[in-house]
């Protein structure tokens, strides 16, 4: 009996020792895995702000700008004593002299239109912070202008542009072609989205906490737009089926280039890149020749090649087979998702060769949004939604004025002096002038035709007189 108990004890002791050894080995393995997990987390959390990685490696997960400055405890805006000016003593008479103020000066200390325009231009178009604007003006002109005063100048300028920016928005709603895009920025430390609607004549910018359909509805252009919308194929744009869509081929080229570089076995990707570039090349040559359409040969060739490449891409990327029964659609992956997008939106991708007014890319919208990224990079974020909207009002106005031949400083000065729509009046005047010249040219051409007709029935005029009159009509018609 004792012998059996001793054997059981030895067996249990051996089992315990084996389990202890297993536990120790697993403990070591867990420690190693925890260390590996920690290292991987550190790699994932690295960005251009906390490592030597370049900003271009951040991708869409750009870190929020974080200031290293500590709060001073003072209220925002101008501080007491910032605008105290002393009048110098007269060198001839030894006492203080007073002069007559201009009629538009209403306060003891007031800044002129040129200085206000410069301050607003530096802070908005120049993307210079209010504090640095204060330092520049103080250093160059020796003017102790407060930061709060600069903020008030920007605010007044933006308020004076509300009606004009509203008209720019209406122009974009009624335009035949619009470029649409969005980009992120920070408002009160939160991610907001700047929505752009623009073309070669107008720029309209608005902001919303939402990027998708809710943000587009809030900005108000797309819900009423009836023209051709050029965009990057973001899913929310397809929620407007009543308008004609054009897809930015530059975005497609970047995606195709990524597939071609990371997956060399995907032969269709490089062939599709060649197809898009060939389509662009043939269109550009047709435009140089003064044509507004391609030949039937090219339309048929491009259409056939497009379908063949889509078929090839589907064969190279079949849907993954799953044995488990799961609800919902099967996961396609990025490559197959792009293939299906190219197939479903073929008309929108190829619209630029069917309508020569449609460009190959959406660079217009990206150019109009570029200064938003510069402002975000320099200033970090907007403190309030109101400040962000004021900035976008001014940039919408300045961007539109620039497209009409006005420089930023002159446009801002027009707004400050109460004439923000001056460049719009120039556009209207130029339009009516062109219309008048077209009508005049038509009248002269009609007169020339009548003269030739009458001259063919009358032979009492000399050959020299006929030549002189005909020459006069030709010159006038030109």
């Amino acid at each position: 009996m004792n012998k059996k108990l001793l054997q059981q004890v030895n067996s249990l002791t051996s089992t315990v020792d084996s389990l202890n050894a297993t536990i120790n080995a697993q403990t070591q393995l867990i420690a190693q895995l925890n260390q590996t997990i920690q290292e991987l987390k550190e790699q994932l959390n690295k960005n251009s702000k906390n490592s030597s990685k370049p900003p271009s490696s951040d991708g869409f997960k750009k870190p929020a700008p974080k200031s290293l400055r500590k709060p001073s405890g003072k209220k925002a805006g101008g501080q007491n004593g910032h605008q105290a000016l002393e009048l110098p003593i007269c060198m001839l008479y030894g006492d203080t002299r007073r002069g007559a103020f201009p009629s538009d000066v209403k306060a003891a200390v007031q800044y002129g239109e040129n200085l206000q325009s410069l301050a607003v231009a530096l802070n908005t178009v120049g993307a210079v912070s209010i504090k640095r604007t204060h330092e520049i003006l103080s250093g160059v002109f020796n003017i102790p202008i407060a930061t709060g005063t600069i903020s008030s100048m920007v605010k007044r300028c933006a308020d004076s542009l509300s009606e004009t920016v509203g008209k720019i928005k209406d122009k974009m709603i009624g335009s035949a072609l619009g470029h649409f895009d969005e980009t992120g920025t920070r408002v009160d430390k939160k991610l907001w989205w700047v929505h752009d609607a623009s073309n070669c004549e107008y720029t309209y910018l608005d902001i919303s906490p939402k990027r998708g359909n809710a943000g587009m509805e809030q900005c108000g252009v797309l819900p009423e737009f009836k023209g051709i919308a050029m965009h990057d194929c973001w899913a929310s744009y397809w929620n407007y089926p009543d308008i004609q869509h054009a897809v930015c081929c530059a975005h497609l080229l970047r995606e195709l280039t990524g597939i071609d570089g990371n997956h060399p076995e995907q032969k269709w990707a490089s062939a599709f890149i060649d197809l898009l570039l060939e389509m662009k090349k043939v269109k550009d040559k047709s435009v140089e020749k003064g044509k507004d359409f391609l030949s039937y040969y090219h339309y048929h060739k491009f259409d056939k090649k497009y379908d063949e490449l889509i078929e090839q891409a589907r064969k190279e990327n079949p849907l993954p087979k799953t044995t488990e029964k799961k609800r919902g659609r099967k996961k396609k992956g990025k490559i197959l998702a792009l293939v299906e997008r190219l197939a479903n939106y073929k008309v929108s991708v190829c619209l630029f060769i069917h309508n020569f007014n449609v460009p190959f890319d959406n660079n217009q919208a990206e150019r109009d949004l570029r200064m938003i990224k510069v402002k975000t990079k320099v200033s970090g974020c907007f403190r309030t939604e109101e400040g962000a909207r004021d900035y976008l009002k001014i940039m919408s106005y300045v961007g539109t004025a620039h497209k009409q031949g006005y420089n930023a400083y002159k446009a801002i000065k027009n707004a400050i002096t109460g004439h923000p729509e001056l460049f719009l009046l120039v556009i209207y005047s130029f339009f009516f002038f062109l219309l008048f010249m077209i009508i005049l040219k038509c009248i002269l051409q009609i007169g020339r035709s009548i003269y030739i007709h009458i001259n063919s029935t009358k032979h009492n005029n000399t050959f020299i007189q006929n030549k002189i009159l005909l020459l006069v009509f030709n010159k006038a018609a030109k």
Side-chain angles (χ1 to χ4, degrees):
M1 188 69 179
N2 292 334
K3 199 174 193 178
K4 289 182 179 180
L5 290 174
L6 185 60
Q7 288 178 353
Q8 290 178 359
V9 169
N10 292 335
S11 176
L12 291 172
T13 302
S14 177
T15 303
V16 169
D17 292 340
S18 177
L19 291 174
N20 285 333
T22 302
I23 291 172
N24 291 333
Q26 290 179 345
T27 302
Q28 293 178 359
L29 179 61
I30 290 172
Q32 292 176 0
L33 293 175
N34 285 333
Q35 183 178 358
T36 303
I37 290 172
Q38 185 63 33
E39 291 173 356
L40 293 173
K41 282 184 177 180
E42 291 177 358
Q43 290 182 13
L44 287 174
N45 292 331
K46 284 183 178 180
N47 53 55
S48 60
K49 296 293 183 181
N50 58 19
S51 70
S52 59
K53 294 177 66 176
S56 58
S57 65
D58 292 334
F60 291 105
K61 296 181 180 180
K62 290 187 179 295
K66 186 177 180 181
S67 176
L68 298 177
R69 294 178 297 176
K70 296 181 180 180
S72 63
K74 299 179 181 180
K75 294 182 179 180
Q79 304 298 318
N80 293 332
H82 274 205
Q83 289 186 278
L85 293 178
E86 294 182 0
L87 294 176
I89 301 299
C90 179
M91 301 298 294
L92 295 177
Y93 299 97
D95 57 352
T96 302
R97 295 291 179 178
R98 291 184 179 181
F101 283 98
S103 58
D104 58 339
V105 176
K106 307 296 182 182
V109 177
Q110 185 168 322
Y111 301 102
E113 298 165 353
N114 291 328
L115 183 64
Q116 293 182 55
S117 304
L118 179 59
V120 174
L122 286 173
N123 180 243
T124 54
V125 183
V128 181
S129 67
I130 288 181
K131 183 178 179 181
R132 290 194 181 97
T133 302
H134 155 76
E135 292 173 353
I136 291 171
L137 296 178
S138 299
V140 175
F141 301 108
N142 196 26
I143 299 175
I145 183 171
T147 55
T149 303
I150 298 173
S151 298
S152 298
M153 291 176 179
V154 175
K155 175 64 178 172
R156 286 196 299 270
C157 181
D159 290 342
S160 68
L161 294 174
S162 297
E163 185 177 352
T164 303
V165 174
K167 292 182 179 180
I168 293 173
K169 178 181 178 181
D170 293 338
K171 289 289 184 182
M172 278 308 308
I173 292 174
S175 62
L177 174 67
H179 294 260
F180 298 89
D181 201 1
E182 66 286 328
T183 189
T185 189
R186 296 276 168 177
V187 177
D188 191 22
K189 302 179 182 179
K190 297 177 182 178
L191 179 62
W192 282 52
W193 294 91
V194 177
H195 292 259
D196 168 62
S198 60
N199 56 23
C200 61
E201 294 180 316
Y202 303 99
T203 301
Y204 178 72
L205 302 169
D206 205 345
I207 195 167
S208 171
K210 301 294 182 180
R211 181 186 182 186
N213 188 249
M216 296 172 183
E217 290 286 327
Q218 181 179 340
C219 294
V221 176
L222 273 172
E224 302 180 41
F225 187 72
K226 302 299 180 184
I228 300 173
M230 165 67 76
H231 53 78
D232 57 3
C233 210
W234 176 250
S236 298
Y237 289 109
W238 301 105
N239 292 327
Y240 300 94
D242 296 333
I243 64 177
Q244 195 172 9
H245 296 264
V247 174
C248 173
C249 291
H251 280 78
L252 298 178
L253 287 177
R254 286 195 284 269
E255 291 186 74
L256 291 167
T257 302
I259 293 174
D260 183 49
N262 298 323
H263 305 276
E265 71 279 3
Q266 300 285 336
K267 302 298 182 183
W268 69 274
S270 59
F272 214 103
I273 292 173
D274 295 338
L275 174 62
L276 290 176
L277 294 177
E278 184 183 1
M279 293 164 67
K280 181 179 184 297
K281 183 178 179 181
V282 172
K283 176 190 173 180
D284 292 342
K285 286 185 176 179
S286 298
V287 171
E288 290 176 0
K289 295 178 181 179
K291 298 180 180 179
D292 57 0
F293 58 90
L294 301 184
S295 65
Y296 172 79
Y297 164 78
H298 283 110
Y299 281 131
H300 178 71
K301 174 186 175 182
F302 293 147
D303 184 70
K304 182 180 178 182
K305 186 65 175 178
Y306 195 107
D307 293 339
E308 289 176 353
L309 290 175
I310 293 297
E311 187 65 25
Q312 178 184 346
R314 283 172 171 165
K315 289 180 179 179
E316 294 180 7
N317 300 276
L319 279 172
K321 296 180 180 180
T322 55
T323 57
E324 300 178 4
K325 293 184 178 180
K326 294 183 178 180
R327 294 182 179 180
R329 294 177 296 179
K330 294 181 180 180
K331 189 175 181 180
K332 297 179 181 179
K334 292 184 178 180
I335 297 178
L336 188 55
L338 175 60
V339 174
E340 294 301 321
R341 208 179 335 139
L342 291 170
N344 295 334
Y345 302 126
K346 175 184 176 181
V347 174
S348 298
V349 173
C350 300
L351 186 60
F352 75 98
I353 62 172
H354 293 276
N355 185 341
F356 279 19
N357 293 322
V358 177
F360 178 77
D361 50 48
N362 198 28
N363 286 350
Q364 180 67 65
E366 294 181 357
R367 285 193 297 268
D368 291 328
L369 285 174
R370 192 164 295 150
M371 284 304 300
I372 308 300
K373 307 308 292 184
V374 175
K375 181 71 172 178
T376 303
K377 187 71 174 178
V378 172
S379 301
C381 73
F382 296 98
R383 292 187 179 183
T384 63
E385 177 186 350
E386 183 182 17
R389 294 193 181 280
D390 289 343
Y391 172 77
L392 294 178
K393 278 184 186 179
I394 295 174
M395 294 306 295
S396 298
Y397 168 74
V398 170
T400 302
H402 178 72
K403 293 174 181 179
Q404 310 300 339
Y406 272 65
N407 63 60
Y409 175 79
K410 187 174 182 180
I412 291 174
K413 186 175 180 181
N414 287 342
I416 290 176
T417 56
H419 306 287
E421 298 182 17
L422 185 60
F423 70 91
L424 291 176
L425 294 176
V426 172
I427 297 172
Y428 298 147
S429 301
F430 182 69
F431 170 77
F432 286 120
F433 174 75
L434 287 179
L435 183 62
F436 171 76
M437 293 301 295
I438 291 172
I439 294 174
L440 179 61
K441 186 174 182 179
C442 292
I443 292 174
L444 290 172
Q445 288 178 343
I446 292 172
R448 177 174 174 269
S449 300
I450 295 173
Y451 166 77
I452 293 174
H453 175 72
I454 295 174
N455 186 56
S456 64
T457 60
K458 295 182 179 181
H459 305 282
N460 54 348
N461 292 330
T462 64
F463 176 78
I464 297 177
Q465 290 174 333
N466 291 340
K467 280 290 184 181
I468 293 174
L469 290 174
L470 187 59
L471 181 63
V472 170
F473 275 118
N474 286 334
K475 289 290 185 181
K478 291 180 180 178

